[in-house]
Amino acid sequence: MPIPLTLGMPPSREEPRGLLTALLTRRHPTLADALDAPDHAAIGDPVVPVSALTEAPGEAAALRIVGELDVAPDAEHLSGLHPAPVRYQLECPAAELAEALAIAVPAPLTVYVDTGDLPETARALVGAGHSPGLPAGRDAGEIADFLSVLAHAGTGFAARARDAGEVLALLAATVAALRGDDVRAALAAPDPARLTGLIPEAAAAVREILLAVEVDDPAAVARDLAGLGLPPR
């Protein structure tokens, strides 16, 4: 049953997470590089290789990071990471999907599979309790089928985008999937006014599904989103 994402109603007193709050992220080669990232409301948890999380500088102790699994997910090694990742991320060749499905890590795991049937891969990952990663540049039909799997799954998904226009389209498509609207139409002609009109609870519901969007330059993309009519809030 579609979730009613209502427009124009008064927000609750609680202030749930906004549509762009901590949405954007990027990869960083080291913790020090992540600490130098711009402080912006739309920029969220940085992605840092697990191999770089062995000796955290003092100011990084409280940093929320996503650990990119560039080493074997050995339980003993992962238990000693500093800071401990709030989420993990894995690049997975399609031929190794079965191994990825069996991975157990001490925080949620997002898996990006390089090739193969996108919705079928998403179903397999959701069934294993992992969140699928949506690569950039997929066509509208694939994204719509992917979102039909994720719209009511408990895992959510992360995505990659090449520019602000793709981020805007992903947000619009996620809203459409939750509402039961035409996802392909939302991707083709995303409406910023419709997104800014979401009440806070509706925006928070979207963000429970769309966990993060990885881009090359989050600060620049945030500025471009504002120029497209979607300022951070």
Side-chain angles (χ1 to χ4, degrees):
M1 179 177 181
I3 296 176
L5 299 183
T6 312
L7 304 176
M9 292 176 60
S12 72
R13 297 179 181 178
E14 286 188 357
E15 297 303 328
R17 179 170 53 168
L19 196 61
L20 290 188
T21 304
L23 172 69
L24 304 174
T25 186
R26 65 172 285 248
R27 296 180 185 180
H28 297 264
T30 64
L31 276 172
D33 188 70
L35 285 168
D36 287 337
D39 184 14
H40 190 289
I43 301 176
D45 306 332
V47 182
V48 180
V50 164
S51 60
L53 303 180
T54 53
E55 296 182 6
E59 62 268 33
L63 184 67
R64 287 174 53 94
I65 61 99
V66 175
E68 185 167 32
L69 282 172
D70 61 335
V71 297
D74 174 79
E76 183 177 352
H77 175 68
L78 296 183
S79 67
L81 297 181
H82 301 287
V86 297
R87 182 165 59 87
Y88 288 87
Q89 183 168 296
L90 175 67
E91 303 291 325
C92 175
E96 298 177 10
L97 178 59
E99 288 83 352
L101 296 177
I103 288 177
V105 288
L109 173 65
T110 298
V111 181
Y112 284 90
V113 181
D114 58 353
T115 58
D117 185 291
L118 191 60
E120 286 302 318
T121 298
R123 287 189 188 93
L125 289 167
V126 167
H130 301 327
S131 60
L134 176 61
R138 294 300 186 108
D139 65 42
E142 286 182 299
I143 296 172
D145 291 342
F146 176 90
L147 287 175
S148 71
V149 177
L150 271 299
H152 307 295
T155 61
F157 74 99
R160 288 175 175 153
R162 294 170 292 193
D163 54 35
E166 285 193 358
V167 176
L168 181 65
L170 280 170
L171 286 165
T174 304
V175 170
L178 286 169
R179 289 174 57 92
D181 292 341
D182 188 333
V183 174
R184 290 169 176 79
L187 286 164
D191 181 2
R194 190 171 185 81
L195 296 175
T196 57
L198 293 173
I199 63 170
E201 290 84 355
V206 173
R207 292 301 310 281
E208 288 177 7
I209 301 299
L210 180 52
L211 306 176
V213 181
E214 187 179 308
V215 295
D216 288 338
D217 188 340
V221 168
R223 290 193 297 270
D224 291 344
L225 284 170
L228 292 172
L230 196 65
R233 58 186 173 96

